[in-house]
Amino acid sequence: MCFFVRTGRKYVLTCGQCTVIMSFVGFKNQRSIMMSNRTWYGKGIKDGIPIALGYFAVSFAMGITAKEAGITPLQAGCMSAVMLASAGQFAAIQVIAAADTLVQMAITTLVINLRYLLMSSSLSQKIDKKTHFIHRLLLPCFVTDEIFGIASNVEGRLNPFYNYGAATVAVPGWTLGTVLGATVGAILPERVETALGVALYGMFLAIIIPGARKNKVLAVLVTVSMLLSFLCSELPVLSGISSSMRIIILTVVISAAAALIRPIREEEKQES
Amino acid sequence: METNFYVYLLVAAGTLYLIRMLPLTLIRKGIKNKYIRSFLYYVPYVTLAVMTFPAIIYATGSVWSGLAGFVVGLVLAFFDGNLFRVAIGACLAVYLTEWLV
């Protein structure tokens, strides 16, 4: 690592980072115990700000789609506030627009959002075993792709207040954007909106790449995941699979293969 | 008879809540099995990687600006890792590429 950035100002930066990483490892357990709910909440708000910005831009499209389907801005806002799911909401809007049955609504929602089953399972091992039941009921309200991403990224055990903090800024961003989109349509210049649309993908990269940099297994895992995802969306027969199914199938297959080939060692377990 | 919007919403939101809630309430103990633990440890990395690529290159006006956002995001994430800076960097790369091309 140091070999890369030995010259110039960046050397200092890397040194600083190394110090930070070392101090994190040293005080990890102590820190998790010492950090109050309030501190976790504040940390969640801070990390939730880029999510809120990205949501705001993306949810405009959601509002516009809802409006075209004959849904009022108030209804669209309610939907965004309680569902907090991008693909899931688009699918729900389609079901409503087609006036399908409630059973179809339940099945569509289940299939499109099945990945949350995996995310919540992963989080069940990330939170403290003694986490109160109330938080086990409240935390899942705020498991979106992005909030899940930052929550799995925290050092040591996850405190649910981190998610509540992130949701405090992200939910208004998502809801407000939807309502505005349904009311006035596109107010941002098209190019700005397109550019902001990749904010959330940028965040995903910021979550997975640092881990991959430190750990070769994760580096291989991330590369393989992206390659297979690319192939599955391009190859003739496989590209017929919807993107939500592709996400869940690939997640299960690749994670299971990785777990069999490279089960985590003791020290990695503690990190997770 | 037309189904009320809020009834639809109740069904969708209820289903969604159950999917998110059940694992957290049912799996209350630490899982001991090393393979299941490993599986759950790898899930975030795999699922976020799969969701990001190739979706990011199709999320913009052209494949090139999407690719620019991806590469800049990748490089920034590698050397910096700050959520906000990586997100904004990727956005700027897309904006500038679309402006230039």
Side-chain angles (χ1 to χ4, degrees):
Chain A
M1 260 186 292
C2 287
F3 178 76
F4 265 109
V5 283
R6 195 129 213 178
T7 51
R9 268 173 292 168
K10 278 184 181 169
Y11 177 66
V12 183
L13 190 76
T14 312
C15 277
Q17 265 182 352
C18 284
T19 322
V20 171
I21 290 161
M22 272 152 59
S23 66
F24 272 3
V25 173
F27 296 103
K28 196 165 60 192
N29 296 326
Q30 216 178 328
R31 233 170 38 111
S32 321
I33 296 164
M34 277 167 56
M35 265 172 69
S36 65
N37 290 343
R38 204 189 163 135
T39 317
W40 276 103
Y41 187 76
K43 197 165 129 72
I45 289 183
K46 188 173 155 269
D47 292 347
I49 291 171
I51 300 186
L53 282 177
Y55 276 3
F56 185 73
V58 175
S59 57
F60 262 86
M62 178 75 66
I64 294 165
T65 311
K67 188 185 180 184
E68 285 164 0
I71 293 169
T72 68
L74 176 70
Q75 290 173 333
C78 287
M79 185 183 231
S80 279
V82 299
M83 286 184 74
L84 284 180
S86 52
Q89 281 178 230
F90 276 115
I93 291 171
Q94 281 167 12
V95 171
I96 293 170
D100 286 338
T101 65
L102 292 172
V103 177
Q104 276 169 305
M105 176 62 104
I107 293 171
T108 307
T109 309
L110 179 73
V111 172
I112 300 271
N113 300 290
L114 211 53
R115 66 182 184 284
Y116 292 121
L117 204 65
L118 288 172
M119 293 186 191
S120 283
S121 304
S122 186
L123 286 183
S124 78
Q125 299 303 301
K126 180 84 177 159
I127 57 174
D128 197 286
K129 266 180 285 181
K130 293 183 200 108
T131 303
H132 196 279
F133 198 72
I134 298 274
H135 292 303
R136 292 179 183 272
L137 292 178
L138 202 55
L139 176 63
C141 297
F142 310 113
V143 178
T144 69
D145 298 335
E146 295 74 19
I147 299 178
F148 163 75
I150 58 168
S152 6
N153 205 29
V154 300
E155 295 274 339
R157 292 278 167 209
L158 169 71
N159 180 319
F161 279 87
Y162 180 75
N163 287 48
Y164 306 154
T168 304
V169 285
V171 177
W174 183 244
T175 310
L176 206 67
T178 310
V179 173
L180 280 175
T183 317
V184 291
I187 51 166
L188 295 171
E190 196 189 331
R191 202 179 281 154
V192 174
E193 202 183 315
T194 317
L196 284 173
V198 299
L200 299 174
Y201 296 115
M203 276 188 39
F204 289 160
L205 290 173
I207 290 165
I208 55 178
I209 299 303
R213 180 185 170 171
K214 279 180 251 165
N215 181 328
K216 266 190 195 145
V217 177
L218 293 180
V220 173
L221 193 68
V222 165
T223 313
V224 168
S225 301
M226 286 186 176
L227 276 177
L228 288 181
S229 173
F230 180 69
L231 287 179
C232 286
S233 65
E234 299 296 324
L235 291 179
V237 181
L238 294 171
S239 61
I241 304 170
S242 72
S243 76
S244 61
M245 280 316 281
R246 190 175 75 231
I247 290 167
I248 185 141
I249 293 171
L250 285 178
T251 302
V252 170
V253 170
I254 300 171
S255 305
L260 287 175
I261 299 167
R262 281 294 168 100
I264 45 173
R265 292 189 303 269
E266 207 50 45
E267 62 268 36
E268 284 167 323
K269 269 187 202 171
Q270 278 162 7
E271 257 177 54
S272 69
Chain B
M1 199 189 83
E2 228 177 85
T3 315
N4 184 291
F5 169 85
Y6 290 99
V7 178
Y8 272 125
L9 181 56
L10 194 72
V11 171
T15 312
L16 192 53
Y17 179 67
L18 285 179
I19 299 169
R20 286 165 167 165
M21 181 269 280
L22 287 175
L24 279 159
T25 47
L26 296 180
I27 316 174
R28 259 180 284 173
K29 289 182 181 151
I31 293 172
K32 291 275 152 47
N33 183 297
K34 136 176 121 164
Y35 294 106
I36 300 177
R37 285 199 61 117
S38 307
F39 173 78
L40 294 176
Y41 171 77
Y42 289 136
V43 160
Y45 291 97
V46 176
T47 200
L48 295 181
V50 167
M51 272 194 266
T52 304
F53 198 80
I56 187 171
I57 61 171
Y58 299 128
T60 63
S62 78
V63 174
W64 296 111
S65 60
L67 210 54
F70 177 64
V71 172
V72 168
L74 211 57
V75 171
L76 284 178
F78 191 85
F79 288 109
D80 184 352
N82 176 288
L83 287 180
F84 195 76
R85 285 195 291 266
V86 176
I88 295 295
C91 293
L92 279 177
V94 170
Y95 187 82
L96 290 177
T97 315
E98 299 215 329
W99 183 68
L100 285 172
V101 177

